[in-house]
Amino acid sequence: MNNIEEVWTKTIEAIGAKVGSQTFDLWFRPIRLVELQEQQLVLEVPNKFFKEWIEDHFPGVIPETVEKFLKKNISVKFRIFEKKDDPALKKIETKQENRRAKLANRGIFLNPKFVFDTFVVGASNQFAHAAARAIADAPGKAYNPLFIFGGVGLGKTHLMNAIGNKIVDKQPNTRLMYAPAEQFTNEFVYSMRNDKMDEFKTKYRSLDVLLIDDIQFIAGKSGTQEELFHTFNALYDLHKQIVFSSDRPPRDISPITERLRSRFGMGLIADIQIPDIETKIAILGKKSDMEGIQLPEDVSYFLASRIKSNIRDLEACMIRLGAHSSLTGRTITVEMTKEILRDLIHDEEKALTVDYIQKHVCEYFDKKVQDIKAKKRTRDIAFPRQIAMYLSKALTDCSLSEIGKNFGGKDHSTVIHACKLIEERRKKDEELDRKVDYLIKKIKGN
Ligand code: ADP
Ligand code: MG
């Protein structure tokens, strides 16, 4: 088979058979073939969300299938379908991309879309927003450090970037660094191994502003904690601004050295709560304008009332709707929304599932869901697994043996054992008790 069009048709058919028609219609049918350049297949998708979704859920499925027909190694490049119809939006995007590139050249990796102008303020985030603004206006002078915490997808990264963007706009020469804690850790480990600690120290300790996102990541990483502690002290003594974000408050980051924990709370701690429905609707309004999506009021209301606790999900739904509507030429309606978003919308009445609990527990303990579901017996996985079993018993109607089945085929006595163990430990260990409460709240979505 040589003709690439023909290969693509076959590929798409084969993928359809593999992933099921619903997934196929939603995610694969809209992909357009652009061309084959030597070993690289160029494809067009409606937006970056498609690209990410396919890469997350079906990594490798396209190149693997194409390779079968072409009998050679193929890599895939996704191109985003250009918004040809709205020159104003395109102009803004080009401007943002230029700015992003210019900053990246200086080692500053900020998202140009995450600015204060695009951040909707409501009761849930008012305090964190005000603190962030104060810091952007007077870095190193207002509160130091600022520690922002809140659940997944509630705007922490957005606020951190907004602080960064505002500061470099006002004072272009500021030495600023935005880094997820994971990156800080990786750089630290790399520098240790490659005898580059001096460079690492110079880089981080000569900053004017250091923004570290998702700091909970350093729990259990003692070397990184030690280095961060010294970085912190060096910057703090020079009145340089430090901002941390985390998915939980300092007291729940564990294990971590007490001296570092106490540093987190030395300035101001601000939390972001789950937004109320009006705030969610306002966010949808702002985002749909930015993306050029016509979102009727009743759809906005429907989405905002159904998607409880994560603005990222809310946005993802909207983008999917926009893509669907632009591809089919249909206007967005509540009916269409229900049809398309069946799997994304978390139905209020829908009972909690063991899978859902496992997902949250794994996210919290930074483990893989496959591992918790497998027979694996290592210690580090045993504890999260016991917690997940305990929560499954407490929060679902599943029987003990049904629960056991979901954890690598354990029998009901293993589940009973886990439940008793966690129950006992909750009584004795205050920190664990708090963690479990936190997880329950999160899983229930409030
Ligand atoms: P977190 O870092 O807390 O997990 P993000 O900052 O990545 O969450 O936010 C997820 C998405 O929700 C982003 O696209 C962000 O722009 C959007 N978002 C969150 N809060 C707001 C808000 N108050 N106004 C506008 N967009 C928001
Ligand atoms: Mg984030």
Side-chain angles (χ1 to χ4, degrees):
M1 223 183 294
N2 288 321
N3 180 340
I4 184 61
E5 308 274 342
E6 202 183 317
V7 168
W8 180 243
T9 311
K10 293 269 182 217
T11 301
I12 246 351
E13 274 171 16
I15 293 177
K18 196 164 170 179
V19 302
S21 65
Q22 219 181 337
T23 306
F24 180 75
D25 281 347
L26 224 50
W27 297 108
F28 289 92
R29 197 187 292 287
I31 303 176
R32 298 276 146 80
L33 168 71
V34 181
E35 60 181 339
L36 179 69
Q37 306 167 334
E38 313 214 347
Q39 312 270 93
Q40 192 177 54
L41 186 68
V42 185
L43 301 171
E44 199 166 67
V45 285
N47 54 51
K48 84 169 196 313
F49 188 65
F50 267 78
K51 171 175 177 289
E52 284 165 9
W53 194 92
I54 293 167
E55 284 166 355
D56 280 357
H57 293 77
F58 291 98
V61 70
I62 298 176
E64 280 160 22
T65 318
V66 176
E67 278 166 14
K68 263 191 225 142
F69 295 115
L70 277 184
K71 310 255 183 302
K72 62 174 177 182
N73 282 343
I74 292 291
S75 66
V76 166
K77 185 175 153 191
F78 286 112
R79 217 165 71 180
I80 311 292
F81 177 73
E82 302 247 353
K83 289 194 191 94
K84 295 188 183 77
D85 43 346
D86 196 336
L89 278 182
K90 228 182 133 185
K91 211 168 139 193
I92 295 173
E93 268 181 17
T94 314
K95 223 172 116 187
Q96 284 176 340
E97 286 315 312
N98 289 343
R99 186 170 172 280
R100 189 205 291 267
K102 231 165 94 186
L103 286 175
N105 275 338
R106 291 171 46 200
I108 301 177
F109 298 95
L110 290 169
N111 183 336
K113 288 193 176 168
F114 289 173
V115 290
F116 284 117
D117 275 350
T118 57
F119 191 84
V120 175
V121 185
S124 57
N125 56 31
Q126 204 167 24
F127 185 59
H129 171 261
R133 280 233 181 229
I135 275 171
D137 286 337
K141 301 208 170 68
Y143 317 99
N144 211 10
L146 170 64
F147 189 101
I148 304 172
F149 78 89
V152 177
L154 294 185
K156 302 180 296 292
T157 298
H158 190 139
L159 272 184
M160 302 272 277
N161 275 272
I163 296 173
N165 278 314
K166 176 105 190 260
I167 294 177
V168 293
D169 273 350
K170 270 189 17 187
Q171 308 226 305
N173 294 328
T174 310
R175 285 162 300 178
L176 181 141
M177 173 100 177
Y178 162 84
E182 188 175 1
Q183 181 188 328
F184 182 85
T185 306
N186 293 345
E187 273 181 45
F188 167 68
V189 172
Y190 173 86
S191 307
M192 287 278 278
R193 292 216 180 115
N194 295 282
D195 215 7
K196 293 197 163 141
M197 271 318 286
D198 285 345
E199 260 169 64
F200 181 89
K201 286 188 174 133
T202 315
K203 175 173 162 189
Y204 279 94
R205 294 181 195 183
S206 60
L207 291 169
D208 299 313
V209 179
L210 174 61
L211 309 158
I212 299 201
D213 209 351
D214 290 317
I215 194 70
Q216 76 278 355
F217 183 83
I218 64 162
K221 302 188 172 65
S222 53
T224 310
Q225 287 177 24
E226 170 88 14
E227 184 56 30
L228 181 67
F229 177 75
H230 294 297
T231 307
F232 181 98
N233 291 343
L235 293 176
Y236 186 85
D237 289 345
L238 295 168
H239 306 285
K240 305 298 190 185
Q241 182 68 50
I242 307 155
V243 182
F244 297 110
S245 89
S246 162
D247 69 352
R248 61 200 81 177
R251 60 159 198 267
D252 289 345
I253 302 180
S254 150
I256 189 181
T257 59
E258 278 313 312
R259 58 182 197 173
L260 189 54
R261 194 197 307 281
S262 75
R263 293 297 183 283
F264 290 161
M266 265 164 64
L268 183 73
I269 300 184
D271 69 331
I272 304 187
Q273 307 271 342
I274 289 165
D276 52 31
I277 188 154
E278 290 81 6
T279 309
K280 285 191 272 183
I281 291 174
I283 292 173
L284 279 174
K286 197 151 226 168
K287 297 270 172 177
S288 56
D289 282 351
M290 277 166 65
E291 300 291 332
I293 296 171
Q294 302 278 342
L295 203 65
E297 246 172 67
D298 54 345
V299 173
S300 245
Y301 182 83
F302 177 77
L303 284 176
S305 59
R306 285 309 171 90
I307 298 176
K308 291 257 175 311
S309 58
N310 185 331
I311 296 170
R312 189 174 299 127
D313 286 354
L314 195 66
E315 226 180 297
C317 283
M318 180 198 80
I319 301 237
R320 237 158 109 171
L321 280 171
H324 192 82
S325 137
S326 78
L327 287 164
T328 59
R330 282 162 63 198
T331 30
I332 300 175
T333 61
V334 172
E335 276 316 301
M336 178 202 273
T337 311
K338 283 185 184 161
E339 187 188 308
I340 295 184
L341 306 177
R342 230 168 305 170
D343 56 328
L344 254 185
I345 291 182
H346 191 63
D347 212 334
E348 271 161 77
E349 293 86 45
K350 205 167 87 187
L352 288 171
T353 62
V354 176
D355 279 351
Y356 189 71
I357 291 171
Q358 288 173 331
K359 181 177 149 257
H360 274 278
V361 172
C362 287
E363 216 168 71
Y364 185 85
F365 288 102
D366 201 13
K367 300 283 172 242
K368 294 202 182 87
V369 178
Q370 301 100 280
D371 289 346
I372 215 175
K373 281 174 166 297
K375 286 211 156 58
K376 233 176 162 174
R377 276 174 195 276
T378 46
R379 250 188 91 89
D380 66 321
I381 197 79
F383 183 62
R385 189 189 280 135
Q386 283 163 342
I387 298 257
M389 284 181 174
Y390 168 81
L391 291 174
S392 299
K393 176 74 182 62
L395 303 176
T396 74
D397 294 327
C398 296
S399 70
L400 292 168
S401 53
E402 270 175 296
I403 295 174
K405 257 191 232 146
N406 275 290
F407 290 87
K410 301 265 185 307
D411 64 15
H412 74 282
S413 63
T414 313
V415 184
I416 294 181
H417 173 73
C419 294
K420 280 201 180 133
L421 192 100
I422 300 297
E423 221 160 87
E424 285 306 310
R425 281 193 58 181
R426 279 189 80 174
K427 284 185 203 144
K428 288 185 217 137
D429 180 346
E430 217 177 291
E431 193 183 320
L432 176 74
D433 190 45
R434 250 199 330 257
K435 278 187 193 164
V436 175
D437 273 340
Y438 172 85
L439 273 165
I440 293 177
K441 245 167 79 182
K442 229 177 127 186
I443 290 166
K444 286 185 163 174
N446 54 38

